[in-house]
Amino acid sequence: MEPSDTAKNSEFLVAETMDFSNCDREPIHTPGLIQPHGILLTLSEPKLEIIQISENVRHFLGIAPEKLLGKPLACLCSKTKVKEICQYLQQDNLEVFSPLKVRICSAASSLTQHKKPSQNFTAILHRSDGLLVMELEPIQASNSKQFLPCHYLLKAAIAKIRQAATFNDLLAELVKQTRKITGFDRVMVYQFADDNSGVVVAEDKAAHLETYLNLHYPSTDITLPAYKLLYENWLRLIPDVNYQPVRLIPTDNPLNDTPLDLSHAHLRSMSPCHQEYLQNMGVAASMSISLINEKRLWGVISCHHYQPKYIDYEMRKACEFLGQFASLELVYQQAQEINRYRLQGKLIQEKLRQAFAQEISLIEPVLRLQQVELLNLVHAQGAALILDHEVSLLGETPSAEQVQALMNWLLAKERQPMFVTDSLSLLYPQAQEFKTVASGVLVISIMLRQKSYHIVWFRPEQIQIVHWAGDPHQAVSFSDDGEMRLSPRKSFELWKQIVEATSLPWQTVEIEAAWEMRNTLMLGVLEFSQQALEQAAERAAIANLAKSQFLAKMSHELRTPLNAILGFTQLMSRDRDTPSEFQENLSIISRSGEHLLTMINDVLEMSRIEAGQLHLSASYFDLHRLFASINDMFALKASEKGLYLSSQWDATVPHYVYGDEAKLRQILINLLGNAIKFTTTGRITVRAKAVALNDTQSKSPNSQPKITLNLEIEDTGCGIAQGDVEAIFTAFIQTEQGRHAQGTGLGLSISRQFARLMGGEITVRSNLNQGSTFICQVCLSVATSVDLVPSPATRNMIGLEPGQPIYRILVAEDVLENRQLLIKLLQSVGFEVCAVENGAEAIAQWREWQPHLIWMDMQMPVMNGYIATQQIRATEGGEKVIIIALTASAFEEDRLASMKAGCNDYLAKPFTETALFEKMTQFLGVGYLYSPGTTSGLHQPSVQPPSLTPQDLQIMPADWISQMHEAALDLNDAKLYELIAQISPQEQPLADALKYLVDNFQLEAIANLTEF
């Protein structure tokens, strides 16, 4: 490094890596001071009484500020102008009506009869903290006719900017035209990096000035509050850097006794730190115009003058418009460059796919033949192909031994589908040996059982001499009392930093192209494996991988929308404004959604069954409640078909047991669902009894007595042919009757596997066209009173406990519905929430906003959650933030991969709000408030009347039954209620059952019951 002059002061200078959080809390938006080139006053609405005013009103109008406090605005301007302002105030956007031309009366002749002299001002209005803020800037006669040439200059500038052919041409034209319009000595475009440091990327200046082009500025030159204000305000003018600030009288907002928020005030005084910074640079006047790209501050047009310089409001608005137009052009030009690159990448990908299709058995020769395209795909100078441990080198690379050692290290460190870095030696010190050819690496990997396939792209060391505007390490200092503060650098002479062992950074579009290349390679590998490998074990491995990928994809696609359904149902149920009559409907939706989720999970378990990886998940549960909920679930369905559903539980069945409740529940759902599906008339009977095991088997390892639970589901349905009795338990195999009904053919196969895992079996007795009886046996342990732990009552959460910090929560989720769900759910209890759509945006928002916790979806476009988490963890300060994976992928390996990428924990979709908030309590220590004495109705079993049969209605006259039938066919619920009211009070159960069917829109069931 070649440092410039050492700062000559007694303050102790510290490195830029120190914690600047206290510096970022400077209240620059509430200084209580303004710049002196105008007057600021605040007005209460609707009377427009002056309740705050700047002290310099005495200078402009000759009136003591205290005499104006509490007075109406009419004491300064005409009643006609006040009436006009009142009309504007009825609109939401006051900026549309700014500026106003206002003539303000002075106090020069208050003691005479002569007409009061007056001055002309430009008035700018906005609202802040419940007050109307009016800023008055005097109109100079010499400037009154400047708008017309300014208009033409703006029109010409836009035309020139639109003609720019490239991104750099656009920047050069932008600074040239801005300087031509404004007349500043120097105009620069200052671009922010991801870490908020900046570099001057374009400049137009007076000939005698030294250049700032390509100079870098540390992130501490612009604090986070200043960064935020630049984002919120398109333009900021400081006509005289050496001004004396003017205080507001009173300083605090009288409505809330806090300093007035001047974030959007044109006259807002700058911070002393920034004033000193500009003075050290020798700048006498400055103006900044923000450039915003995709909801982030991309950079600023920075204008410097070395004498005081005032720009009137009309010209400022023209410059603001120029900044807005330039922001759109920046987005357009960048998008065009990205689209050109993506199109080139697609052409290369297609060429490689065609080559694989023609020479599928020769993956390595195909890639070697397409070497130029493979390197151009990600702008690399070399690549290595590691295909089943065979290394092939293309272009400029390390040696084969060095590449193999690198891959061994990488595979031992993490087995991720992608790895990327532009400074390998920071992570892998041995890379110093070959940094000249491989300082940056981008790796894609495919692992198939014992075989692995990798492509590694290399970029050479790019030695950079970064030119800083002064020593960046002189950014902060300690004051006399030991407090660290931003210290405006006193030297801006050229300061050089040499950056070594680092390549050019990998761009997002290049990472996307590499991921697409991985998909292309995957197709080639799978096709190659199918044709080249003859052993059955290898073919099975490839088939299992394809099936697992399919199931994982289906899991994600099914669970993602289900997450939104269940989530919004929970939100609606928790809302106090939800009508009580809708609560039961929400309960039905929730139970049905949870049943669907259970089915999805169990279908996904099929792959584990075949792989021998299925395991029991035992817990204590209420067996009687399980039976009741299953009966409750199918009672209505049976009633719709006119079937009689009965349950017969033997007294030997214990109340509480220990076992896998979810698998037993799924067995019952499958068997009972099939019985109803294949039965058109008659009845379905569920029988249950328990048999104690003999002495040698009666005790479980934890000394609990064991039983065999015998279940029988008997129906009067179509029956099963003897030749199909065993076939029905084979996955994806259906009988002739089954093929005409909805289903996948998985239910019985999964149920038998579950039963066998639980130490039992499922068999069937059946006669074709007469009915079937399915017999299920499973082993359970009987729970003792000591084992039982009562489940806590579900309470409705209403907010955060008082006295806690305001937690910032970042949501990274690409699906709009799930993103909206999380925002509403978290904001409803008081969290501060920000949401982004992909991993790249999550990284940028984390750097800017510093959230306490990130809910990270792992499958997102542009950049997935795995890579985003890794990059956050690899960044300074990234190890502190809590990151919880939130994904619809359902497999255990997905959880392990998330944890390995750096996540603190894992939550699968669909999630319950209870699980979500419990995770936040676990990691942040958050406490919640609950509404007293309330419980959620989503998980309460619904109370249903007994099922009806046509015989139950025979107690009513035939004419009445006929009218019920016609009303049901006509969907006339009013008529149905009227007929139900005619039932005798002695037959109230019948009336309740029919009313339940009408309440739940089951009019088809009534039509079936009343059909002759």
Side-chain angles (χ1 to χ4, degrees):
M1 297 187 183
E2 302 174 14
S4 64
D5 296 339
T6 303
K8 297 179 177 64
N9 58 53
S10 59
E11 296 176 315
F12 175 68
L13 301 176
V14 298
E16 193 180 1
T17 55
M18 295 294 287
D19 181 8
F20 300 144
S21 59
N22 60 329
C23 305
D24 287 337
R25 291 195 294 268
E26 184 181 6
I28 63 175
H29 62 297
T30 58
L33 303 167
I34 66 167
Q35 300 180 66
H37 62 274
I39 304 170
L40 185 143
L41 48 93
T42 63
L43 308 168
S44 63
E45 297 184 71
K47 295 182 179 181
L48 300 186
E49 291 181 350
I50 301 172
I51 64 172
Q52 278 180 292
I53 194 163
S54 57
E55 192 175 27
N56 62 347
V57 68
R58 188 193 307 271
H59 168 74
F60 281 100
L61 304 179
I63 305 175
E66 294 79 6
K67 292 185 177 181
L68 292 175
L69 292 175
K71 298 293 194 304
L73 181 62
C75 73
L76 291 178
C77 57
S78 67
K79 294 182 179 179
T80 302
K81 180 58 67 174
V82 172
K83 184 177 180 181
E84 178 185 348
I85 292 173
C86 289
Q87 292 176 343
Y88 293 151
L89 295 179
Q90 298 176 13
Q91 308 300 319
D92 293 332
N93 188 0
L94 297 182
E95 187 178 0
V96 174
F97 306 102
S98 293
L100 298 172
K101 304 302 180 184
V102 179
R103 179 166 292 185
I104 302 295
C105 301
S106 70
S109 60
S110 59
L111 301 178
T112 70
Q113 300 298 320
H114 294 91
K115 185 178 180 181
K116 293 182 179 181
S118 58
Q119 298 183 54
N120 291 326
F121 289 85
T122 296
I124 309 164
L125 301 173
H126 76 277
R127 291 187 173 93
S128 178
D129 292 344
L131 295 174
L132 179 67
V133 179
M134 175 180 283
E135 299 176 82
L136 301 173
E137 296 183 22
I139 298 175
Q140 301 178 15
S142 59
N143 293 337
S144 61
K145 296 183 179 180
Q146 283 188 351
F147 178 74
L148 190 59
C150 179
H151 167 75
Y152 282 120
L153 287 172
L154 178 62
K155 185 177 180 180
I158 290 175
K160 289 285 187 181
I161 291 172
R162 294 188 66 178
Q163 293 173 5
T166 67
F167 187 72
N168 289 332
D169 291 343
L170 170 63
L171 296 176
E173 197 63 48
L174 179 58
V175 293
K176 179 180 179 181
Q177 295 302 323
T178 303
R179 183 164 178 253
K180 187 174 182 180
I181 293 174
T182 62
F184 275 90
D185 290 335
R186 185 196 307 272
V187 176
M188 304 167 286
V189 170
Y190 179 88
Q191 181 182 357
F192 290 106
D194 289 340
D195 62 356
N196 283 352
S197 64
V199 58
V200 178
V201 293
E203 179 186 54
D204 192 75
K205 64 179 182 63
H208 66 280
L209 297 175
E210 63 176 330
T211 183
Y212 285 176
L213 187 62
N214 295 324
L215 285 186
H216 289 247
Y217 293 78
S219 60
T220 50
D221 277 12
I222 299 180
T223 63
L224 287 178
Y227 187 94
K228 181 180 180 182
L229 288 175
L230 284 170
Y231 177 79
E232 294 177 350
N233 298 279
W234 282 100
L235 186 140
R236 170 74 160 151
L237 172 68
I238 303 172
D240 186 354
V241 168
N242 300 304
Y243 70 89
Q244 291 297 317
V246 177
R247 69 187 181 97
L248 298 181
I249 301 176
T251 302
D252 290 345
N253 179 348
L255 297 184
N256 54 24
D257 293 326
T258 60
L260 180 67
D261 187 345
L262 296 176
S263 295
H264 300 289
H266 296 254
L267 295 173
R268 183 186 76 250
S269 184
M270 61 177 165
S271 72
C273 184
H274 184 54
Q275 186 177 33
E276 185 180 349
Y277 181 92
L278 292 174
Q279 289 170 341
N280 291 346
M281 291 185 73
V283 175
S286 77
M287 186 172 73
S288 62
I289 307 167
S290 299
L291 296 171
I292 297 175
N293 182 354
E294 296 180 350
K295 297 183 179 181
R296 66 180 295 268
L297 186 63
W298 182 90
V300 293
I301 305 172
S302 183
C303 308
H304 289 173
H305 209 65
Y306 297 90
Q307 297 292 332
K309 184 177 182 61
Y310 175 74
I311 303 293
D312 65 26
Y313 184 81
E314 299 294 352
M315 184 173 288
R316 298 202 306 264
K317 293 304 288 185
C319 292
E320 181 180 312
F321 179 81
L322 185 64
Q324 293 171 349
F325 174 77
S327 295
L328 294 175
E329 285 294 305
L330 288 171
V331 173
Y332 174 76
Q333 284 284 6
Q334 287 182 319
Q336 287 293 99
E337 292 188 0
I338 290 174
N339 287 339
R340 283 193 289 270
Y341 176 82
R342 284 176 174 163
L343 178 60
Q344 179 187 11
K346 287 182 179 179
L347 293 175
I348 294 174
Q349 295 280 5
E350 185 58 32
K351 187 174 182 180
L352 289 171
R353 289 190 184 100
Q354 292 177 2
F356 278 140
Q358 295 169 3
E359 299 288 346
I360 196 59
S361 61
L362 303 171
I363 294 180
E364 189 273 340
V366 167
L367 292 175
R368 180 174 290 281
L369 188 62
Q370 307 296 328
Q371 171 179 335
V372 174
E373 288 79 6
L374 189 64
L375 297 179
N376 287 342
L377 184 67
V378 295
H379 300 146
Q381 280 66 52
L385 311 177
I386 302 98
L387 307 177
D388 194 18
H389 305 293
E390 294 293 328
V391 179
S392 298
L393 304 179
L394 310 174
E396 300 176 9
T397 70
S399 67
E401 293 76 14
Q402 290 171 326
V403 171
Q404 189 62 66
L406 170 63
M407 286 309 303
N408 292 339
W409 167 81
L410 186 60
L411 291 174
K413 180 178 181 292
E414 54 181 310
R415 297 175 65 87
Q416 293 296 325
M418 178 177 286
F419 173 80
V420 58
T421 180
D422 57 8
S423 187
L424 179 61
S425 59
L426 289 179
L427 305 173
Y428 180 62
Q430 294 89 324
Q432 282 285 348
E433 300 174 7
F434 49 82
K435 65 180 182 179
T436 55
V437 293
S439 284
V441 298
L442 174 58
V443 185
I444 57 173
S445 300
I446 298 170
M447 271 76 76
L448 295 175
R449 296 287 177 136
Q450 290 81 20
K451 295 186 179 295
S452 62
Y453 304 84
H454 313 272
I455 298 179
V456 186
W457 286 279
F458 300 106
R459 279 184 177 172
E461 177 185 40
Q462 186 77 24
I463 298 179
Q464 301 179 62
I465 300 179
V466 180
H467 291 171
W468 293 90
D471 186 348
H473 298 93
Q474 297 183 9
V476 296
S477 63
F478 285 106
S479 60
D480 294 338
D481 59 2
E483 182 181 0
M484 187 173 65
R485 62 183 290 270
L486 285 176
S487 176
R489 289 178 289 110
K490 297 175 175 58
S491 172
F492 289 86
E493 295 183 9
L494 184 63
W495 194 91
K496 298 179 181 180
Q497 178 187 12
I498 300 176
V499 178
E500 299 177 312
T502 301
S503 73
L504 292 176
W506 302 95
Q507 302 299 319
T508 301
V509 289
E510 294 167 341
I511 295 174
E512 289 179 17
W515 189 262
E516 284 299 317
M517 182 62 212
R518 182 180 182 274
N519 294 336
T520 300
L521 182 62
M522 171 71 84
L523 292 175
V525 168
L526 291 176
E527 289 293 332
F528 167 73
S529 299
Q530 288 178 354
Q531 293 185 11
L533 302 177
E534 299 178 355
Q535 296 182 359
E538 189 67 21
R539 290 198 300 269
I542 296 171
N544 279 337
L545 175 64
K547 181 181 64 179
S548 296
Q549 289 179 332
F550 169 76
L551 289 174
K553 176 70 173 176
M554 290 304 298
S555 167
H556 191 275
E557 295 300 318
L558 291 170
R559 294 162 71 92
T560 295
L562 189 57
N563 181 67
I565 293 171
L566 291 176
F568 279 105
T569 301
Q570 294 173 46
L571 276 176
M572 292 176 66
S573 177
R574 201 158 54 80
D575 192 342
R576 297 179 181 179
D577 295 331
T578 301
S580 58
E581 60 268 23
F582 291 165
Q583 290 292 342
E584 177 61 23
N585 296 342
L586 291 172
S587 179
I588 293 172
I589 294 173
S590 181
R591 289 197 306 273
S592 299
E594 290 174 356
H595 167 52
L596 177 58
L597 174 61
T598 301
M599 293 182 66
I600 292 171
N601 290 338
D602 288 332
V603 169
L604 294 174
E605 289 287 350
M606 177 57 73
S607 63
R608 300 193 183 281
I609 293 174
E610 295 180 353
Q613 299 175 351
L614 190 64
H615 304 287
L616 287 174
S617 179
S619 62
Y620 295 100
F621 65 95
D622 187 337
L623 185 58
H624 288 196
R625 183 175 180 180
L626 173 62
F627 288 156
S629 66
I630 297 296
N631 186 80
D632 186 52
M633 180 183 299
F634 288 99
L636 187 60
K637 187 68 176 177
S639 177
E640 286 179 3
K641 296 186 68 172
L643 302 175
Y644 182 75
L645 175 62
S646 65
S647 299
Q648 301 172 12
W649 307 344
D650 194 86
T652 58
V653 176
H655 202 127
Y656 298 101
V657 295
Y658 181 82
D660 195 325
E661 180 183 14
K663 290 181 175 58
L664 179 58
R665 177 185 179 88
Q666 190 60 52
I667 292 172
L668 285 167
I669 288 173
N670 284 336
L671 296 180
L672 193 52
N674 282 345
I676 292 177
K677 182 190 301 184
F678 297 108
T679 302
T680 55
T681 60
R683 65 177 59 239
I684 295 162
T685 304
V686 180
R687 303 183 187 91
K689 67 177 181 179
V691 178
L693 297 180
N694 58 41
D695 291 339
T696 59
Q697 300 173 304
S698 62
K699 294 290 184 179
S700 60
N702 54 0
S703 300
Q704 295 168 319
K706 298 186 71 174
I707 61 166
T708 296
L709 180 65
N710 293 314
L711 300 169
E712 290 187 3
I713 292 89
E714 181 181 5
D715 63 64
T716 57
C718 59
I720 305 167
Q722 289 302 311
D724 291 333
V725 166
E726 281 303 312
I728 60 174
F729 293 102
T730 303
F732 302 105
I733 300 297
Q734 295 175 299
T735 64
E736 183 64 25
Q737 293 88 346
R739 282 188 285 271
H740 295 290
Q742 293 182 346
T744 62
L746 289 174
L748 288 176
S749 176
I750 292 174
S751 296
R752 173 174 272 187
Q753 295 292 342
F754 284 178
R756 288 175 175 174
L757 189 65
M758 298 173 74
E761 181 62 276
I762 295 179
T763 57
V764 61
R765 300 191 304 266
S766 182
N767 292 311
L768 194 61
N769 300 321
Q770 294 183 22
S772 305
T773 301
F774 281 82
I775 302 98
C776 172
Q777 294 179 325
V778 295
C779 292
L780 299 171
S781 298
V782 178
T784 66
S785 58
V786 177
D787 301 319
L788 303 179
V789 178
S791 59
T794 305
R795 298 178 294 168
N796 284 342
M797 189 181 300
I798 59 176
L800 299 175
E801 287 182 351
Q804 300 183 93
I806 298 178
Y807 292 102
R808 297 183 299 277
I809 310 300
L810 176 60
V811 173
E813 167 64 65
D814 62 312
V815 178
L816 175 62
E817 293 81 3
N818 287 332
R819 197 162 60 249
Q820 290 174 333
L821 167 63
L822 283 163
I823 291 172
K824 290 183 179 180
L825 189 61
L826 294 170
Q827 287 181 342
S828 69
V829 296
F831 290 108
E832 186 175 339
V833 185
C834 182
V836 296
E837 299 181 20
N838 58 62
E841 292 182 2
I843 295 172
Q845 192 63 34
W846 168 76
R847 285 172 171 156
E848 176 182 342
W849 197 49
Q850 293 295 300
H852 297 89
L853 184 145
I854 303 175
W855 286 108
M856 181 75 76
D857 184 21
M858 306 312 286
Q859 300 295 333
M860 295 182 288
V862 180
M863 180 185 291
N864 63 37
Y866 298 104
I867 297 175
T869 300
Q870 289 173 336
Q871 293 198 13
I872 289 175
R873 293 300 190 209
T875 306
E876 182 179 356
E879 71 280 358
K880 297 179 182 178
V881 65
I882 302 301
I883 304 177
I884 303 180
L886 185 63
T887 176
S889 300
F891 295 111
E892 175 66 13
E893 51 263 33
D894 298 308
R895 185 187 71 81
L896 295 176
S898 300
M899 303 298 283
K900 195 166 186 178
C903 293
N904 298 89
D905 207 341
Y906 174 96
L907 184 62
K909 303 174 189 174
F911 54 83
T912 64
E913 63 178 49
T914 300
L916 187 84
F917 290 130
E918 283 179 351
K919 291 289 186 188
M920 302 180 77
T921 297
Q922 177 184 348
F923 288 99
L924 297 179
V926 183
Y928 305 103
L929 294 175
Y930 299 90
S931 55
T934 59
T935 59
S936 172
L938 287 182
H939 303 290
Q940 304 299 323
S942 62
V943 178
Q944 296 180 354
S947 303
L948 295 176
T949 66
Q951 290 73 25
D952 295 328
L953 274 67
Q954 297 306 310
I955 62 174
M956 301 301 294
D959 180 60
W960 182 91
I961 296 175
S962 177
Q963 292 182 58
M964 285 288 289
H965 185 73
E966 293 297 326
L969 293 178
D970 293 339
L971 307 180
N972 188 343
D973 56 344
K975 180 64 174 177
L976 289 170
Y977 285 125
E978 179 184 328
L979 291 168
I980 292 171
Q982 298 176 16
I983 298 175
S984 168
Q986 287 76 20
E987 304 297 338
Q988 191 61 38
L990 174 61
D992 291 340
L994 289 171
K995 186 175 182 299
Y996 177 87
L997 294 176
V998 179
D999 289 343
N1000 287 275
F1001 312 103
Q1002 301 300 322
L1003 304 189
E1004 182 182 356
I1006 296 177
N1008 292 335
L1009 289 168
T1010 55
E1011 187 174 16
F1012 288 97

